[in-house]
Structure formats: C-alpha cells, structure tokens
C-alpha cells in the first residue's frame, strides 16, 4: 500500500480541478471567436462583445472562473507608439512660474538692491537684474530662501534651486538633483495620464512603460490604428475641487439636487456626495509636488493660478474644518480637511502618507493634462493576420510537441508513461489557469515558453522513473521502490528547476517586451511542472497501486 494523508490528496485534487476549470474558458471562447472574422475578434477583445460571445457568456456558469488569457500585440494586432516626452518644457514652465515669487521676495530688500527687472534668457533659466550691485549678497540670500528640499530619495539633503550671481544679475535654475526628480515626476505623470486614457476605452492589458530617460512605449492590443491611439492619448483628464456634502457606504444613496454620488478611488465601498459645481477646476492648478510638512512627514503641495488662488482662498476661509473633494475622472482621489484658510494660491495636503503615496497623489493631481509635449518617434499599426498565423503556428508546435513527448513516454515507461502524460495535460491546464487568474499576457515568445515547458515537464518524471527502476533492480518491494524513487529524486529535481527559475526571474526583471513574455510562461511552467511531476503523478500512481495491488510493476 502507498499511503498519503487525506488532506494532501484532497489539496492536490482541488488544485488540479481549479486548473482545469480555470483553463476551460480560454478554449470555450476561442471556439466561439473562430466563427468571427479577424476584425470582429479584435473589436470583441477590446471590449465590444459579439452576439456569439454574448451567448457563450450566458452559457458559461457565473460561479466558475471566467478570466481569459490576454493576447499580446504580436498575436492580436493593435497599435504601437514610441513617444518622446519633452522634459525640458517642464523646466521652463517651472522657472517661469517662479518669477512672481522672486520679485516679491526682493521687494523686502528693495532699499538694498534697487530696481528689479527680469532679463531675457534661455528657457529653463531665470535672470533677474538688480539696480545696486552692493546689495547682490542680500538679493541672492533672499532668492536662495525660496529653495525647498528635493522631494526624492536620491536628492536627500539637496535643494531644488541653484542660485548664483553674474555681475548685477541673479541666475536661477533648477539644481541637478531637482532636474532628475522632475524628470521622474514628469515621466510618472505622463505614464499615469496615458494609462488612464487608454484604460478608459476598455482595452485589455496594454503595455505602457518607460523607455530610457525620456521615452514612453505604448502598445495597445486590439486597437484599430496608431492614429486612434494618438487621439485617445490627446484627450485630457477632468480634475476638479468640489464641496463635500456627505459620505456614505450605500451606492444607492440619493445625492439630492445639484449633487453627485462619486466613488472613492482608494477606499472600498466608500462614496462621497459632492456638489456638482466645482470650487476650482483642474485648469487653474499650475503645479503639485510631493513635499514634507513642518514635522518632516510626506505631504503634497499644490499651486493655483491667480483666479484659482482667489476662489480657493475665499472658499477655505469660509469652510475651515470641513472636507473638500479632489475629483479626477469622476472619482474622489482624496478628501482632506481644511485646517486653515489657504491664501496666496498654494497649499499643502497632509495625511498619513508614505513618500511613494505622496508622490502618487501629486501625480494624480497633475493628471488633468499632459505635463509636456510628446513627439511620436514611431507609429505602427499591426494587423491581426500575423497574430493569427503566429497562434496557428504555436498551436501546431504545441500539439506536435505534446504528441511526440507523449509517444516517447509511452514507449519508454508504458503505463507509468501514461500517468506522466495525464500529468502533462494537467500541467498545461494549470499554466493557462494561472495566466488567466493573474491577467497575464500571452505573446509569441510566451508560446515558445509553453512549448519548451512541454519538453521540460516530463524531465522530473524521467528522473523518478529511472530511480524506481534502480530500486527494483536491487530487489526492493514495489511499494518501497516507488516511495524511495520519489524521495531520492526530489532533491535533484528541485535543485535543477530552481536554477531554471532563477534564469526566468533574471529574464523577467532585466528583460523587456518579448523576453518578459517568455520568462513569464517559462517561470509558471517550471512551478506547475514540478507540482504535477512530484505530486500529481505520485497521487495517480498511489490510487492505481492501492486499487490493483500488483505484485510486480514494469517501469
């Protein structure tokens, strides 16, 4: 008899059942989509279901997993853009907005510095002329007092402004640490805006990532053309500052006339009743940056233009102690309480933030429009024909691989080879179930990773079976030979697969695009193949052995 605890057998069977059920929707919907033409299939995968798909969804039980594996751009077709963000524009905007503060700061020492004038300069550099050269030291000190700590981990202890004197002119520009931090914030903001715009059209699993220092790669499977993608990115997000009327957890609450019920972006099942008429709109917000409060805790500072500053100052003066809502795309991203009147067009949002959270909130506050112009360096529209050819070729390769491996295992190990083949089928189901559950994207290199996994999946079975043969040759009993075969082969199997898993992890974290797609399927395949080879086949053999009770076995 081969013994294993009941809980272990139930757990293995439950995982196998989950894998089979989780993988089935991919086969189910693929059969339905096969009746559609390529264009309709792309439209459906982008969010518009065809009548056939609607019928399929209705037939599929709602209590079962229904997630699908997303197809990458190389398999489904779509739009590809490579954009260059003009980060230098942000430097110029930042320095231009600093001139009123510099002028006001020098007003306090006007008797020492004389007349103050802004001089022509290159973008990103502010030059201010003072009438009295003897007061230059006092003028520089006043302007330097406007500098703030760089709000990034790499710029700790550094100031955001670099102030120097050249003759009778004060030269103000961003310091190098602040330029690096500004580049990072600008790219984060651009990525966030693009992602929100692309997600709004219902596409599945777009690729939006930073490339180098100032470029963004945008790939959206299932989208009709690169021109359509550019139009989507060009739309601006709607940012408003609204009065909070109430807060509730009931999504059916009646907000009342001239009010709206909006969901909280980061609080589950929390809704805010806000006034429809905004206090200030996002067009009047000129800047928002991560900063620190008087106690050194992460916060977010923001700045309005002249009209926004006036309206916000009047509102905060009349509503001290009351919350106000920061609304982005009809979701409340924050609802801070007004602690005091906020005059002058700038303020600070405090809370229990980490540095990352304050940075993200600042990004969202600035997400009403792209922070800088983007030049599109590459524009490509990829048709679905290549994707379908790739899918068909991948299917053919996978089928040939499975058949060849299965025949080899049957020829080499007979009945035990059949058990390994059953485990191989379960392994394939588990791979697709995991990809579906995590929302993974299947690319052409990913298909290659699955085909490679088919060959690697039975390696562990070969090691175990050969070990069982050795034990049978030294006259061990059949049950004991099977137990020893699994016990002594396990360390070698685990060690071999850990080294391959490390390689997959390196490919995933250091690679990009197709390389990462290969690494994902390879890594998942390694884990599932070890599970099926060591535990699933052992369970199958245990059930068969305890049922048939053979005196001898042939491996």
């Amino acid at each position: 008899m081969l013994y294993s605890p009941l809980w272990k057998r139930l757990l293995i069977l439950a995982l196998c059942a989950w894998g089979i059920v989780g993988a089935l929707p991919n086969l189910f919907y693929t059969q339905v989509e096969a009746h559609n033409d390529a264009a309709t299939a792309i439209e459906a995968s982008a969010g518009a279901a065809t009548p056939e798909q609607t019928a399929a969804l209705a037939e599929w039980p709602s209590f079962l997993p229904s997630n699908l594996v997303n197809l990458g751009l190389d398999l489904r077709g779509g739009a590809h853009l490579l954009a260059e963000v003009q980060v230098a524009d942000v430097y110029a905007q930042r320095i231009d907005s600093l001139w009123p503060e510099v002028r006001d700061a020098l007003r306090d020492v006007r008797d020492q510095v004389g007349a103050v004038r802004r001089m022509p300069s290159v973008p990103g550099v502010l030059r201010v002329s003072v009438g009295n050269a003897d007061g230059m030291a006092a003028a520089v000190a006043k302007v330097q007092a406007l500098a703030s700590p760089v709000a990034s981990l790499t710029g700790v202890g550094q100031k955001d402004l670099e102030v120097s004197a050249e003759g009778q002119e004060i030269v103000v520009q961003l310091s190098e640490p602040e330029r690096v931090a500004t580049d990072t914030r600008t790219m984060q903001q651009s990525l966030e805006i693009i992602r929100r715009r692309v997600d709004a059209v219902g596409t599945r699993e777009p690729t939006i990532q930073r490339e180098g220092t100032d470029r963004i790669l945008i790939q959206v499977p299932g989208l009709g053309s690169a021109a359509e993608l550019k139009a989507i990115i060009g739309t601006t997000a709607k940012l408003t500052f609204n009065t909070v009327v109430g807060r509730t957890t009931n999504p059916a609450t009646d907000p009342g006339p001239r009010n709206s019920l909006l969901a909280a972006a980061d609080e589950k099942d929390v809704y805010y009743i806000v006034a429809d008429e905004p206090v200030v709109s996002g067009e009047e917000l000129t800047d928002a940056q991560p900063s620190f409060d008087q106690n050194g805790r992460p916060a977010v500072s923001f700045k309005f233009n002249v009209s926004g500053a006036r309206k916000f100052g009047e509102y905060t003066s009349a509503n001290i102690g009351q919350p106000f809502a920061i609304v982005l795309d009809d979701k409340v991203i924050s609802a801070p309480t007004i602690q005091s009147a906020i005059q002058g067009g700038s303020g600070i949002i405090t809370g229990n933030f980490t540095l990352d959270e304050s940075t993200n909130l600042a990004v969202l506050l600035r997400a009403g429009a792209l922070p800088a112009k983007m030049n599109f360096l590459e524009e490509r529209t990829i048709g679905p024909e290549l994707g379908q050819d790739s899918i068909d070729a991948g299917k053919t390769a996978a089928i040939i691989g499975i058949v060849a491996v299965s025949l080899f295992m049957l020829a080499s190990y007979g009945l035990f080879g059949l058990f390994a083949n059953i485990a191989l089928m379960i392994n394939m189901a588990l791979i697709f179930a995991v990809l579906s559950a995590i929302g993974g994207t299947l690319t052409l290199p990913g298909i290659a990773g699955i085909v490679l996994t088919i060959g690697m999946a039975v390696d562990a079975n070969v090691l175990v079976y050969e070990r069982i043969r050795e034990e049978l040759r030294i006259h061990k009993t059949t049950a004991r030979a099977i137990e020893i075969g699994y016990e002594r082969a396990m360390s070698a199997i685990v060690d071999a697969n850990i080294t391959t898993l490390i390689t997959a992890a390196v490919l995933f974290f250091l690679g990009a695009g197709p390389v990462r797609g290969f690494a994902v399927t390879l890594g998942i395949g390694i884990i599932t193949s070890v599970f099926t080879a060591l535990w699933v086949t052992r369970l199958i053999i245990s059930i068969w052995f305890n049922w048939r009770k053979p005196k001898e076995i042939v491996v």
Side-chain angles (χ1 to χ4, degrees):
M1 293 286 289
L2 292 175
Y3 172 76
S4 61
L6 178 61
W7 67 266
K8 183 182 290 187
R9 283 179 283 166
L10 292 176
L11 179 60
I12 294 171
L13 290 172
L15 287 173
C16 293
W18 172 82
I20 294 170
V21 173
L24 275 178
N26 295 285
L27 179 62
F28 189 71
Y29 295 129
T30 300
Q31 290 174 343
V32 173
E33 287 185 357
H35 299 292
N36 303 327
D37 58 28
T40 306
I42 287 181
E43 181 185 358
S45 63
T50 64
E52 292 87 354
Q53 279 183 308
T54 303
L57 285 167
E59 294 170 11
W60 187 256
S62 59
F63 60 88
L64 293 179
S66 58
N67 293 333
L68 299 175
V69 175
N70 299 314
L71 297 182
L73 190 70
D74 53 353
L75 298 181
R76 200 164 83 195
H80 165 103
L81 292 176
L82 180 63
E84 182 182 46
V85 181
Q86 303 297 302
V87 292
D89 292 349
V90 181
Y91 306 156
Q93 294 169 8
R94 179 89 175 273
I95 292 299
D96 285 344
S97 66
L98 192 65
W99 161 240
E101 294 184 45
V102 172
R103 181 188 57 205
D104 293 342
L106 294 178
R107 186 176 293 127
D108 296 336
V109 289
R110 181 66 60 86
D111 57 335
Q112 300 180 51
V113 302
V116 174
R117 285 190 307 155
R118 181 175 183 177
M119 306 299 291
S121 182
V122 297
V125 178
L126 174 64
R127 287 182 173 272
V128 180
S129 172
V130 298
N132 185 3
D134 294 337
M136 181 61 71
V140 170
K142 273 291 184 182
V143 177
Q144 284 178 336
L146 299 175
S148 303
V150 176
S152 73
L153 295 176
T154 57
V156 174
Q158 304 290 325
K159 295 291 186 179
D160 61 352
L161 297 180
E162 188 178 285
V163 184
S164 59
E166 293 182 6
Q168 288 188 227
E169 291 182 355
I170 303 171
V171 181
V172 185
Q173 56 188 333
L174 298 180
S175 64
E176 187 59 31
E178 180 61 18
R179 286 173 181 263
V180 174
T182 299
D183 289 351
T184 301
R185 289 195 295 266
T186 302
M187 295 301 290
Q188 286 177 338
Q189 182 182 352
S190 300
L191 287 168
E192 177 67 24
I193 295 169
I194 293 170
R195 184 171 289 110
R196 294 179 70 87
R197 297 297 93 212
V198 170
D199 287 346
V201 300
T203 54
R204 291 172 50 198
E205 202 65 27
T207 298
I208 304 170
Q209 61 189 31
R210 183 174 178 176
E211 294 275 322
T213 57
D214 60 354
R215 295 182 179 183
I216 296 176
L217 175 66
I218 310 155
Q219 294 180 334
V220 183
L223 205 60
S225 67
E228 184 180 349
L229 178 57
K230 288 172 65 177
I232 291 170
I233 293 172
T235 59
T236 58
K238 182 182 179 183
L239 174 70
T240 57
F241 294 76
N242 298 64
T243 300
V244 174
V245 178
R247 172 180 164 138
T248 181
T249 57
N250 182 8
T253 300
D254 181 10
R258 295 186 295 280
N259 295 328
S260 297
L261 184 68
L262 303 180
D266 298 324
E267 297 177 272
K268 187 177 180 181
D269 298 328
V270 173
Y271 300 85
Y272 288 90
I273 300 172
V274 302
D276 288 337
E277 185 68 25
V279 177
V280 188
S281 66
E283 288 78 9
E284 296 171 297
L285 184 74
T286 59
D287 194 19
Q289 304 289 344
S291 60
F292 300 93
D293 62 15
Q294 62 270 27
N295 297 315
R297 294 174 300 190
V300 177
S301 58
F302 58 88
K303 196 176 295 184
F304 291 112
N305 60 18
V306 175
S307 62
R310 176 181 53 78
K311 289 186 285 187
F312 198 64
E314 293 173 356
Y315 176 78
T316 54
S317 297
N319 292 274
I320 294 175
Q322 300 299 316
F324 72 97
I326 303 171
V327 181
L328 182 64
D329 282 347
D330 294 327
K331 285 191 176 181
V332 178
I333 61 172
S334 181
T337 299
I338 300 170
Q339 304 292 345
S340 59
I342 302 175
Q343 305 289 351
S346 62
I348 188 168
I349 301 173
T350 60
N352 191 23
F353 297 131
T354 64
L355 186 58
D356 285 342
E357 288 171 343
S358 67
T359 300
N360 291 338
L361 179 55
V363 168
L364 289 173
L365 286 174
R366 299 193 305 268
L370 289 168
K373 180 183 177 182
M374 290 197 301
N375 292 333
F376 294 102
L377 307 179
E378 290 182 13
E379 300 180 27
R380 292 205 301 268
T381 301
I382 301 172
E385 292 81 8
L386 174 62
Q388 190 58 51
D389 290 345
S390 301
I391 294 173
D392 293 340
K395 285 181 179 178
T396 302
I399 291 171
I400 293 174
I402 290 174
V403 170
V405 169
S406 299
L407 290 175
F408 171 80
M409 293 301 292
L410 284 172
S412 299
Y413 301 105
L415 181 62
F416 279 63
L418 176 62
F419 296 155
N421 291 338
I422 295 172
L424 178 61
M425 297 300 104
I426 295 174
N427 182 35
M428 292 297 102
L430 285 170
I431 291 174
F432 279 92
V434 172
L435 284 172
S436 299
I438 66 176
T441 300
L442 183 63
T443 61
L444 186 58
I447 293 177
I450 292 176
V451 175
L452 177 61
T453 301
I454 293 172
M456 296 174 57
V458 296
D459 285 353
N461 292 115
V462 171
L463 289 173
V464 171
Y465 292 168
E466 290 299 325
R467 187 70 195 186
I468 293 174
R469 281 179 174 176
E470 291 180 9
E471 297 302 324
L472 289 173
R473 279 196 289 267
I474 58 177
H475 308 296
K476 288 286 194 305
T477 62
T478 54
R480 185 59 181 157
I482 293 172
E483 289 179 349
I484 293 176
Y486 276 96
E487 289 172 0
R488 296 187 177 176
M490 181 177 291
S491 61
I493 293 169
V494 171
D495 288 347
N497 282 278
I498 283 178
T499 56
T500 310
L501 190 61
I502 291 172
T503 303
V506 172
L507 289 174
F508 179 81
F509 287 109
L510 299 184
V515 175
R516 297 187 74 180
F518 174 79
V520 168
T521 54
L522 178 62
I524 294 172
I526 290 168
I527 296 171
T528 57
S529 61
V530 169
F531 168 72
T532 54
L534 290 180
W535 284 280
V536 174
T537 55
R538 185 168 185 173
L539 177 61
I540 296 173
I541 291 172
S542 175
I543 293 172
W544 168 80
F545 188 89
N546 293 334
W547 171 48
R548 298 300 299 268
K549 298 182 177 62
K551 298 296 182 183
E552 294 181 357
I553 59 173
V554 178
V555 180

